[in-house]
């Protein structure tokens, strides 16, 4: 059975004293099994909240509309736990390796904690060593008896990838895997993700600001702005259609570092029409009054009145 992750008209709101803040606003997208898909956009656009929804990890107090389906299962912590989805089918490569590992426990213990929680007892360390070697941690014996702070940032990142792959999940969510990392460690992240892709057995959603990472690793890219999916497709970096995607590309160093004027709207702002209209040079009256519908574009879909 093909197990895509299908998002249909998903909205996620967080209750506050000022009202509900809409972090994800009417998003529909299909993450295809066997593909690597990037979700990009400015900070605060809703990428990580969408990622939590895909993994069934949203807190109980959110105001939720629409649905996320994994195969024929509705994505929620309760459903995924009951069906033993976590670990064996859905894995995570978290951001910030040093903050994701327990500093008081040796890495062997942390690896065994994960495996044994899923009924896997790796007494001879063969599973651990296989995946450590796969991610170029060749001195596996030394790594396993080390504490996290005895490894470099790049080695910690390799260890987290080995941890995520040890149960051979069908899907992995990588949440900002290069955030806050130096250039050398970012290169290691890119290398690791490409190695996972070459296996051909894993699908992945990568939430990132790193356009280089998304461009080099992913088959499809989804662009978010102010909680909405404004564009998605297989060639958005070379042939962007939405005005925001074009501006996002122009802001890259290789394109002249041209900043997008204005600021992204506060998610609590009640805006009519297109949320990008206040910053868009092509905006017309319909853009300020009516929410644009999603249209077919040459390489995917775009949400713009004038696309």
């Amino acid at each position: 059975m093909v197990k895509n992750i299908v998002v249909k008209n998903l909205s996620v709101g967080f209750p506050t004293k000022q009202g509900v803040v809409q972090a994800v606003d009417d998003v529909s997208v299909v993450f295809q099994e066997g593909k690597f898909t990037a979700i990009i956009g400015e900070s605060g656009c809703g990428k990580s909240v969408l990622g939590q929804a895909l993994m069934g990890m949203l807190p109980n107090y959110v105001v939720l509309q629409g649905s996320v389906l994994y195969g024929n299962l509705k994505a929620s912590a309760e459903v995924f736990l009951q069906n033993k989805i976590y670990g064996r089918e859905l894995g995570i490569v978290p951001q910030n390796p040093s903050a994701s590992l327990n500093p008081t426990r040796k890495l062997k213990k942390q690896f065994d904690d994960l495996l044994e929680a899923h009924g896997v007892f790796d007494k001879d360390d063969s599973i651990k060593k296989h995946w450590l070697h796969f991610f170029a941690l060749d001195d596996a014996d030394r790594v396993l008896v080390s504490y996290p702070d005895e490894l470099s940032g790049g080695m910690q990142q390799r260890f987290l990838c080995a941890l995520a792959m040890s149960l051979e999940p069908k899907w992995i969510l990588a949440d900002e895997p290069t955030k806050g990392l130096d250039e050398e460690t970012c290169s290691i992240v890119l290398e690791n993700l490409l190695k996972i892709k070459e296996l051909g057995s894993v699908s992945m959603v990568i939430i990132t600001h790193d356009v280089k990472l998304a461009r080099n690793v992913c088959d499809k890219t989804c662009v978010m702005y102010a909680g909405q999916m404004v564009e998605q497709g297989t060639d958005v970096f070379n042939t962007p259609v939405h005005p925001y995607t074009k501006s996002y590309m122009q802001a890259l160093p290789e394109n002249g570092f041209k900043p997008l004027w204005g600021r992204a709207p506060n998610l609590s702002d009640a805006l009519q029409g297109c949320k990008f209209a206040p910053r868009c040079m092509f905006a017309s009256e319909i853009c300020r009054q009516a929410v644009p519908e999603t249209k077919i574009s040459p390489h995917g879909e775009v949400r713009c009145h004038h696309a």
Side-chain angles (χ1 to χ4, degrees):
M1 176 186 176
V2 174
K3 290 192 174 180
N4 295 333
I5 300 176
V6 181
V7 181
K8 294 183 178 179
N9 303 114
L10 181 71
S11 294
V12 182
F14 290 82
T16 70
K17 291 180 180 179
Q18 289 73 39
V20 176
V21 174
Q22 210 69 35
V24 175
D25 184 7
D26 192 25
V27 166
S28 294
V29 58
V30 176
F31 297 95
Q32 291 181 299
E33 183 180 326
K35 301 293 185 182
F36 277 44
T37 305
I39 305 174
I40 66 171
E42 296 173 85
S43 295
C45 70
K47 304 187 300 294
S48 291
V49 175
L50 177 57
Q52 291 174 29
L54 303 183
M55 295 290 113
M57 292 179 173
L58 290 171
N60 292 330
Y61 57 81
V62 299
V63 179
L64 188 66
Q65 293 179 298
S67 63
V68 178
L69 297 176
Y70 172 62
N72 58 2
L73 296 176
K74 185 175 181 180
S76 72
E78 182 180 5
V79 170
F80 283 175
L81 285 169
Q82 286 176 352
N83 288 274
K84 299 180 179 179
I85 298 298
Y86 292 124
R88 289 198 175 277
E89 295 206 34
L90 301 179
I92 295 177
V93 176
Q95 59 177 274
N96 194 346
S98 60
S100 303
L101 295 166
N102 187 333
T104 66
R105 289 173 66 80
K106 290 186 177 182
L107 294 171
K108 182 180 188 302
K109 294 289 187 184
Q110 298 190 54
F111 217 136
D112 280 330
D113 287 345
L114 173 68
L115 294 173
E116 291 173 11
H118 294 274
V120 179
F121 298 91
D122 185 30
K123 293 181 180 180
D124 61 357
D125 295 335
S126 59
I127 295 173
K128 294 188 280 289
K129 289 181 179 180
H130 168 77
W131 289 108
L132 291 174
H133 290 156
F134 181 84
F135 289 107
L137 289 171
D138 296 322
D139 193 358
D141 289 318
R142 183 181 72 82
V143 169
L144 290 173
V145 298
S146 299
Y147 290 97
D149 64 0
E150 295 179 298
L151 272 59
S152 67
M155 293 176 74
Q156 290 178 3
Q157 214 284 332
R158 292 185 194 276
F159 180 83
L160 284 176
C161 286
L163 204 62
M165 287 297 298
S166 63
L167 292 166
E168 301 185 35
K170 297 180 182 297
W171 279 90
I172 286 181
L173 173 71
D175 186 3
E176 296 283 13
T178 58
K179 185 176 181 180
L181 302 181
D182 58 52
E183 185 175 350
E184 180 182 354
T185 309
C186 286
S187 296
I188 291 172
V189 173
L190 176 59
E191 174 191 329
N192 289 345
L193 296 181
L194 286 172
K195 289 190 76 170
I196 294 173
K197 187 173 185 179
E198 286 170 7
L199 286 174
S201 59
V202 184
S203 312
M204 188 176 290
V205 177
I206 302 174
I207 297 169
T208 185
H209 289 88
D210 190 336
V211 170
K212 178 182 177 182
L213 180 73
R215 179 187 284 144
N216 290 333
V217 176
C218 294
D219 306 291
K220 175 181 176 180
T221 300
C222 301
V223 184
M224 289 191 71
Y225 181 80
Q228 294 183 338
M229 193 78 73
V230 296
E231 186 167 358
Q232 51 182 290
T234 57
D235 198 31
V236 300
F237 298 115
N238 295 318
T239 57
V241 178
H242 195 280
Y244 172 68
T245 312
K246 293 178 180 180
S247 298
Y248 196 91
M249 296 302 113
Q250 289 173 356
L252 298 177
E254 65 263 32
N255 294 329
F257 230 150
K258 302 168 188 173
L260 174 60
W261 67 276
R263 65 171 184 84
N266 191 308
L267 292 178
S268 61
D269 294 343
L271 293 178
Q272 284 187 306
C274 173
K275 292 187 176 183
F276 187 62
R279 304 173 77 184
C280 181
M281 66 177 67
F282 305 107
S284 62
E285 190 59 29
I286 190 174
C287 302
R288 289 180 277 272
Q289 296 298 325
V291 176
E293 295 182 359
T294 299
K295 304 175 183 178
I296 301 299
S297 69
H299 301 283
E301 297 180 354
V302 62
R303 193 169 189 172
C304 175
H305 288 295
H306 300 301

